Amino acid sequence: MKKIYCHKCIVFLLLLYFGFSISLKAQGDTLYIGSNFSTVNLKPFSEVNKGSQNQIVDERSYYYFSFNKTINTIDFTLKNKVDVPKKVILELSNAFIKEIVFGKVENNIFIPIATTGIEHPISTKPLENRLFSFPISLNANETASFQLKLKKEGGKPLVTTACIKSENTFVKQSFVQQIIIGSYFGVSVLSVIFSLFIFYFLRQSIYLIYAAYVISLGLFISSYIGVFSQLFLTENDFVNKYTHYVLFSEISLLLFALLSQKILEAETYMPKLKRGIDVLLTVLIALRLLLHFVFTKVFESAVSVFMNIWYAIFLILIIIIVIEITIYFRKNNKRTSFFALAYLFMIIGTLASILYHSYGLVNTYVYDLPLLFYSSFLEILFLTFTVVLMVKDIYDERNILSEKIVIEEKKNLTAFIKGEDQERKRISKELHDNIGSQLSYLKRFVSDKFKDEDVTETIDSICNDVRNLSHDISPSDLKIVGFKNAVEDLSQNISSQTTLNVDFSRYHFPETLDDDIATQLYRVVQEAFNNILKHANAKHIDLQLMGHQDSITISIEDDGDGFDTKHKKSGIGLKNMQSRIHQIGGTLSIDSQINRGTSLLITLPI
């Protein structure tokens, strides 16, 4: 049963295939336009260069006219199958056909209807459309024959598709294409604005080059798909293929090469490859511009030769950039990956365009837009992602550098504080051991020789001052009396020697602290008192030492002038305090308001 069923299926498919083939053969010369007609490729229903000798059967779905023949014809017949008049649109995909003569054939006589092309003003286009489009009106049940005469540049191939569309389909597809094209140029404009914005802040030429590349690529694509003439040219202008197409493509190629070298940092990591690209790029662009704008007759006499030379150099350029991408991938794989994808889409679109226009090997049109259009859109997207990653890399490098600078500043400040403490100890020892002992010897000498009590009292006062100064510079009694007692003595001295009233209190504060911690905290309290005396104009200070289960806190509050913590920069004294507290693993917070005093809170985990 299964075998019989399979045999029946095979027979059915064969009958369907032969029936379809017979149907196509029967309709091969005539395209029937019915009530449900939408769109159809004209190629299977047309005859190319009718009546010429040595016609070659062309299985392509599009028209490819090779290098030799300058004028080619396309003949086709339309049959209106409905009882009412019907209007259809003939549309060609190539926007750079030199001349197109469209006409009707009656009794083997060609009657021109419209003549247009890039040799004629834009106003000669039968319809206001980016492509060459021709309206065709058929009466009820009318059969009519038409002919297209296409004139191309000498020595160059011409490739185009031709579609017959219903009027409704033509309008709908044109609207959708406008949305797609608008999205393309919308993304391009955003990319340009973004790159110029980044250039304004970073002042690096790569972002300006990228903006210029996106602009030139947009102009090239707009020319390629026929939008440039709609946007920038008037009805009386002519489309110049070399000015409006070739020039834009060469500028785009140059800017892309420059951009790729900047992104891949070729000058730093691959200088030899960069020099090779510079030479190839110069030869490539100079060759094409000279042949197109200066030696045009030489170019036309041997187009295929020069095209192959240009493509060979272009291929070598592609290979070198691929090598650069591979090398740079080891340094920055994220940025390289996005750039490689952008480069891949650019190469796919460019190679597909070359294979289509120069050799007629592949059809690159999707929804009446070339593959190069879609690939360049993806290229811009991934290039923009690459630029975003570059900006991120720059800011990451700056943040790392800032962190290194902060760490280096802390190291320098710590070294400065240590040096300052060592110098304080040296001076304190010198005052106590040397000058103090000499003053004691002087006191004894004066007392024994002159026995003048006033002089003796004066020397005693000087001795006390030196001893107090030595103690202030480096409190040697921290180890003996402990931190909290030393701070209490300091508070009492300030209260007795100045107009400031210091209220000292302590709550569950540890009896002993590590020597280094005690020294640093004492210096911070000293610096705080010193700042209050110099700048605050305060009358009262509240100093509290508090011990907690896992930390200690020191609170210093005054009723002085205060300051604006948001706008006032930290001085060397405050930086020293912060550095000392940071050095022992604590935190220092400052709260101050103008005319409302200042509060310092030191927190240290234990």
Side-chain angles (χ1 to χ4, degrees):
M1 289 295 292
K2 289 183 178 179
K3 289 183 178 180
I4 296 172
Y5 179 75
C6 291
H7 289 158
K8 287 183 178 180
C9 289
I10 293 170
V11 171
F12 175 76
L13 290 172
L14 288 172
L15 290 173
L16 185 66
Y17 170 76
F18 285 118
F20 181 71
S21 300
I22 293 169
S23 174
L24 280 180
K25 188 175 180 181
Q27 298 186 25
D29 296 331
T30 303
L31 174 60
Y32 291 90
I33 310 296
S35 57
N36 297 324
F37 178 79
S38 175
T39 180
V40 71
N41 185 1
L42 184 61
K43 180 72 186 301
F45 303 94
S46 62
E47 186 175 355
V48 178
N49 295 323
K50 186 176 181 180
S52 64
Q53 296 180 347
N54 300 323
Q55 281 190 326
I56 300 174
V57 177
D58 187 2
E59 299 296 335
R60 298 181 181 94
S61 61
Y62 48 92
Y63 297 99
Y64 177 76
F65 303 106
S66 60
F67 294 84
N68 300 322
K69 199 168 183 179
T70 305
I71 298 177
N72 297 271
T73 60
I74 299 172
D75 288 87
F76 60 95
T77 301
L78 302 180
K79 167 68 176 178
N80 184 7
K81 293 175 65 177
V82 295
D83 297 330
V84 293
K86 193 79 173 176
K87 185 177 181 180
V88 293
I89 309 295
L90 168 63
E91 185 179 67
L92 304 177
S93 63
N94 194 319
F96 291 100
I97 301 175
K98 197 169 185 179
E99 184 181 74
I100 308 169
V101 181
F102 174 67
K104 199 170 185 179
V105 179
E106 294 182 355
N107 300 321
N108 293 325
I109 299 173
F110 179 73
I111 304 170
I113 298 174
T115 301
T116 187
I118 62 173
E119 278 190 343
H120 300 270
I122 294 173
S123 58
T124 59
K125 280 187 173 183
L127 294 175
E128 290 185 5
N129 189 37
R130 62 184 182 86
L131 301 174
F132 295 112
S133 305
F134 304 89
I136 301 174
S137 298
L138 297 172
N139 295 324
N141 299 308
E142 179 187 6
T143 301
S145 297
F146 301 91
Q147 186 181 80
L148 277 170
K149 289 184 179 180
L150 306 180
K151 181 182 178 181
K152 66 182 185 66
E153 295 177 86
K156 298 180 183 179
L158 173 65
V159 187
T160 186
T161 57
C163 291
I164 301 291
K165 302 178 180 180
S166 67
E167 195 172 20
N168 187 40
T169 301
F170 176 77
V171 172
K172 286 182 178 179
Q173 290 187 356
S174 296
F175 177 73
V176 174
Q177 289 166 20
Q178 286 175 1
I179 293 175
I180 296 173
I181 293 169
S183 301
Y184 175 95
F185 289 107
V187 170
S188 299
V189 169
L190 290 176
S191 299
V192 170
I193 293 172
F194 171 72
S195 57
L196 291 176
F197 178 77
I198 298 300
F199 171 75
Y200 176 78
F201 285 100
L202 298 181
R203 299 294 179 181
Q204 294 189 7
S205 61
I206 185 171
Y207 304 107
L208 197 60
I209 293 172
Y210 178 59
Y213 172 67
V214 174
I215 292 171
S216 64
L217 182 63
L219 291 172
F220 166 68
I221 293 296
S222 67
S223 297
Y224 186 55
I225 63 176
V227 173
F228 184 86
S229 59
Q230 284 185 306
L231 296 177
F232 303 106
L233 302 180
T234 65
E235 290 186 351
N236 297 322
D237 288 333
F238 294 78
V239 176
N240 188 318
K241 181 178 179 180
Y242 298 116
T243 303
H244 301 148
Y245 176 74
V246 175
L247 189 61
F248 291 150
S249 69
E250 297 309 309
I251 293 173
S252 299
L253 177 61
L254 174 63
L255 291 172
F256 182 83
L258 292 175
L259 181 66
S260 66
Q261 299 312 290
K262 291 282 188 180
I263 290 175
L264 300 174
E265 299 183 70
E267 191 169 0
T268 303
Y269 299 101
M270 300 154 278
K272 292 183 178 179
L273 290 176
K274 183 184 181 300
R275 285 194 291 271
I277 286 179
D278 292 341
V279 172
L280 285 175
L281 197 63
T282 303
V283 172
L284 193 67
I285 293 175
L287 178 66
R288 196 169 186 194
L289 292 179
L290 287 172
L291 291 174
H292 280 301
F293 293 98
V294 181
F295 305 109
T296 52
K297 291 184 179 179
V298 176
F299 179 59
E300 289 177 358
S301 63
V303 174
S304 59
V305 175
F306 287 115
M307 278 176 53
N308 290 330
I309 293 172
W310 191 88
Y311 293 150
I313 297 173
F314 183 69
L315 184 60
I316 295 171
L317 188 65
I318 290 173
I319 293 171
I320 292 176
I321 295 179
V322 169
I323 294 172
E324 288 184 338
I325 290 172
T326 305
I327 294 172
Y328 192 71
F329 184 81
R330 299 171 185 174
K331 174 175 171 54
N332 192 322
N333 54 7
K334 286 185 179 180
R335 184 200 301 183
T336 311
S337 299
F338 279 103
F339 177 74
L341 286 171
Y343 187 62
L344 176 65
F345 287 120
M346 189 272 282
I347 295 303
I348 289 173
T350 303
L351 291 180
S353 180
I354 290 172
L355 293 175
Y356 177 70
H357 285 286
S358 299
Y359 304 104
L361 296 178
V362 291
N363 186 3
T364 63
Y365 275 75
V366 179
Y367 208 79
D368 291 335
L369 288 168
L371 181 63
L372 184 61
F373 171 84
Y374 299 104
S375 65
S376 65
F377 178 76
L378 294 172
E379 177 195 352
I380 289 173
L381 282 180
F382 282 100
L383 278 179
T384 303
F385 292 148
T386 305
V387 170
V388 170
L389 284 177
M390 289 178 65
V391 174
K392 181 180 178 296
D393 289 342
I394 289 173
Y395 277 99
D396 287 345
E397 288 175 3
R398 289 187 176 183
N399 289 335
I400 291 171
L401 182 61
S402 298
E403 289 175 1
K404 287 181 179 179
I405 291 172
V406 170
I407 292 170
E408 196 63 30
E409 284 182 346
K410 287 180 179 178
K411 286 181 179 179
N412 293 337
L413 194 55
T414 301
F416 171 77
I417 290 170
K418 285 184 177 179
E420 183 185 44
D421 287 342
Q422 290 174 357
E423 188 64 14
R424 281 173 178 266
K425 289 179 181 179
R426 188 190 68 80
I427 295 172
S428 175
K429 187 176 181 182
E430 185 71 18
L431 287 171
H432 185 273
D433 297 345
N434 188 8
I435 297 175
S437 61
Q438 288 184 21
L439 285 172
S440 297
Y441 173 77
L442 179 62
K443 173 187 173 183
R444 185 170 188 135
F445 175 78
V446 170
S447 149
D448 291 343
K449 190 168 185 177
F450 299 102
K451 296 183 180 180
D452 189 333
E453 292 184 3
D454 292 336
V455 174
T456 303
E457 289 178 1
T458 302
I459 294 174
D460 282 338
S461 177
I462 294 173
C463 288
N464 289 331
D465 290 342
V466 169
R467 187 163 48 252
N468 290 335
L469 178 60
S470 174
H471 175 78
D472 289 341
I473 292 174
S474 181
S476 58
D477 58 349
L478 268 176
K479 293 182 180 179
I480 301 172
V481 302
F483 170 76
K484 59 182 180 181
N485 292 327
V487 171
E488 185 175 5
D489 289 343
L490 178 64
S491 302
Q492 290 174 356
N493 290 337
I494 290 176
S495 294
S496 62
Q497 295 172 9
T498 67
T499 59
L500 273 172
N501 180 26
V502 181
D503 284 342
F504 174 80
S505 58
R506 55 188 180 182
Y507 305 96
H508 305 293
F509 198 82
E511 292 295 331
T512 59
L513 291 175
D514 181 80
D515 290 346
D516 184 53
I517 292 175
T519 301
Q520 300 301 340
L521 289 175
Y522 187 82
R523 293 290 180 221
V524 171
V525 174
Q526 267 188 320
E527 186 66 38
F529 282 165
N530 187 44
N531 287 340
I532 294 170
L533 287 168
K534 283 184 178 179
H535 310 294
N537 293 322
K539 294 181 180 179
H540 181 79
I541 298 175
D542 185 18
L543 172 60
Q544 295 182 359
L545 308 181
M546 291 170 284
H548 306 282
Q549 185 175 359
D550 55 357
S551 65
I552 58 173
T553 59
I554 300 174
S555 173
I556 305 172
E557 297 180 359
D558 68 68
D559 59 355
D561 295 338
F563 58 91
D564 188 349
T565 56
K566 293 181 180 179
H567 298 95
K568 186 177 178 64
K569 293 184 179 180
S570 299
I572 186 67
L574 185 57
K575 286 183 177 179
N576 280 348
M577 293 166 66
Q578 291 173 332
S579 179
R580 287 180 185 277
I581 296 301
H582 177 75
Q583 190 175 336
I584 58 177
T587 59
L588 173 64
S589 59
I590 301 172
D591 183 25
S592 182
Q593 293 183 9
I594 296 175
N595 297 324
R596 291 191 177 183
T598 302
S599 172
L600 275 73
L601 181 64
I602 301 167
T603 304
L604 180 68
I606 57 173

